Amino acid sequence: VATPNLRLTGPTPLPPQVREAQTRQMVSHRSAEFRALLSSVLARLAPLFGTADPVVAFTASGTGGMEASVLNCVRPGGRVLAVSIGHFGERFAQIARIWGAAVETWDVGWGSAADPDELARRIRAAGRLDAVLVTHNEGSTGVLNPLGPIAAAVRSETDALLIVDAVSSVGATEVRMDDWGIDVVVTASQKALMSPPGLALVAVGDRAGAVARSNPAPRFYFDFARMIAAARDGMTAYTPAVSVVYALDAALRIIEAEGAAAVFDRHRRHAAACRARGQKAGLRPCAPALHASPSVTAFALPAGIRAADVRQRLQAEHGVVVSQGRGSWKDSVIRVGHMGWTAADELDAAMDALGEVVGELGAGVDVASPLEANL
Ligand code: PMP
């Protein structure tokens, strides 16, 4: 079977060096050798978060990191403003609600970015807040929130902690946690970091660390203070996903060799190319151009064409694997991933195939108003 052209929103394809690194033999995760490796990986991740604060690694997917942030940074009954621009924003709000926080959700609407001025107004109207939850790159819609201005709005209006889900943005675009005044940034190994799933990577700022230390809320595995203390010694509190640490080391070497700025540029170029090709094929990007995600492009399909059919034919006939929409967009939206290890010719091939499949499926369908009906 030919290697599939994996254009998912995650997990993303592994470069050969990363594939090889993760097959290495186990070592003791308390050995000097592993401690040196983990310390190096966590220190080299920090610039991608734009922070001098500690980055810790929980063995979990990104959602585990989101939950950990809430458990540590929000007291039960604490007041939270959740800014939701799509599926993953709704998930963050749900985590906080289930945790017992008093959550107010600002539903910005799927396909839009949050407007910083409107956010400032909502924060003023909300009164005292303990935390604001924001998604940087909304994978369900392909919208990149303007995180710098959003953080500035939060910082100008409240002392609440700003907790950011950057699962599909760290490594794909600039994140400046310290400069922008963000307290917690969460990402995961299997997205732009080109590694297998298995590690939730969380940068914890001073203020968040202080809240965590004094927060009486029950938690054990996901305790920030214990993890930060362990990380100081090059360790995790519990057995980590050792192979994923090997993989991240190799992936970071690739990113370092290319240079972060060049990596981000490449992501922007791929996103623009993907969007343009999709539009040429009669697909409507769900995100406005100004807020187009560097890591995933979501397209509304012409009315009458089902996303499941497109996905299935792309895979069976072209070896191209894409993601479907989430939630109410499941049947009408296709999402194409272009984060991490993406070659321009692979992306072009995937978009050619997508155009072909949509053309074939659309042939029998009345597409008098193809761009309107699906959203
Ligand atoms: N948040 C965002 C913005 C994401 O893109 C994703 C993954 N698609 C998640 C959270 C969930 O991450 P995971 O599947 O690693 O738990």
Side-chain angles (χ1 to χ4, degrees):
V1 184
T3 312
N5 186 346
L6 213 59
R7 300 286 106 230
L8 292 170
T9 57
T12 63
L14 304 181
Q17 303 93 306
V18 174
R19 285 210 295 275
E20 195 181 314
Q22 59 148 0
T23 64
R24 274 169 51 194
Q25 184 57 279
M26 290 298 108
V27 290
S28 162
H29 58 288
R30 307 287 179 209
S31 64
E33 178 191 354
F34 187 78
R35 286 161 65 169
L37 179 69
L38 182 65
S39 296
S40 160
V41 165
L42 296 178
R44 286 150 64 215
L45 280 167
L48 295 175
F49 289 81
T51 190
D53 289 320
V55 176
V56 295
F58 289 100
T59 293
S61 77
T63 305
M66 293 160 72
E67 181 155 7
S69 305
V70 171
L71 299 182
N72 284 274
C73 296
V74 181
R75 295 183 174 83
R79 300 194 66 227
V80 171
L81 178 65
V83 180
S84 174
I85 62 167
H87 176 78
F88 293 105
E90 288 171 10
R91 179 179 297 180
F92 220 172
Q94 188 185 12
I95 289 170
R97 205 176 305 114
I98 287 174
W99 168 230
V103 181
E104 183 179 325
T105 302
W106 174 26
D107 259 315
V108 176
W110 287 47
S112 298
D115 172 45
D117 295 333
E118 175 64 17
L119 176 59
R121 273 193 292 279
R122 285 179 181 259
I123 291 172
R124 280 197 293 277
R128 193 187 62 77
L129 287 171
D130 297 293
V132 179
L133 310 181
V134 172
T135 314
H136 186 193
N137 183 80
E138 179 50 75
S140 64
T141 59
V143 170
L144 182 73
N145 254 330
L147 189 57
I150 285 175
V154 173
R155 285 286 69 94
S156 74
E157 300 297 335
T158 174
D159 285 336
L161 296 178
L162 174 55
I163 305 176
V164 175
D165 165 3
V167 168
S168 52
S169 56
V170 168
T173 193
E174 192 170 53
V175 178
R176 290 165 59 188
M177 174 169 162
D178 293 355
D179 290 348
W180 291 341
I182 301 170
D183 296 291
V184 180
V185 174
V186 179
T187 197
S189 51
Q190 81 278 14
K191 301 275 186 172
L193 297 175
M194 306 184 291
S195 296
L199 287 179
L201 302 157
V202 187
V204 183
D206 282 350
R207 292 180 346 126
V211 170
R213 278 192 301 280
S214 67
N215 188 346
R219 60 199 182 273
F220 188 86
Y221 187 82
F222 283 111
D223 188 64
F224 275 180
R226 215 176 269 140
M227 262 305 193
I228 291 169
R232 266 190 222 114
D233 294 328
M235 288 191 281
T236 45
Y238 315 103
T239 314
V242 170
S243 309
V244 185
V245 178
Y246 294 158
L248 277 172
D249 176 47
L252 284 167
R253 278 178 215 276
I254 296 171
I255 292 172
E256 287 155 359
E258 188 176 352
V263 169
F264 302 157
D265 267 354
R266 174 166 54 78
H267 278 80
R268 267 192 293 275
R269 280 199 310 279
H270 285 169
C274 179
R275 183 180 180 95
R277 277 181 176 254
Q279 282 174 310
K280 237 172 96 183
L283 303 172
R284 190 181 69 180
C286 302
L290 183 62
H291 299 298
S293 160
S295 47
V296 45
T297 303
F299 291 108
L301 294 164
I305 299 182
R306 291 180 50 233
D309 296 338
V310 174
R311 196 170 54 80
Q312 193 273 329
R313 273 176 83 150
L314 271 177
Q315 177 149 16
E317 295 169 17
H318 300 272
V320 173
V321 185
V322 297
S323 301
Q324 272 181 245
R326 308 288 308 232
S328 65
W329 284 14
K330 186 169 191 291
D331 293 331
S332 57
V333 167
I334 282 288
R335 296 178 300 144
V336 180
H338 34 75
M339 67 189 124
W341 194 55
T342 302
D345 59 348
E346 284 170 335
L347 183 58
D348 287 351
M351 295 310 292
D352 285 346
L354 178 59
E356 206 176 305
V357 166
V358 167
E360 286 162 10
L361 287 170
V365 167
D366 173 16
V367 284
S369 179
L371 301 184
E372 299 307 320
N374 257 347
L375 286 181

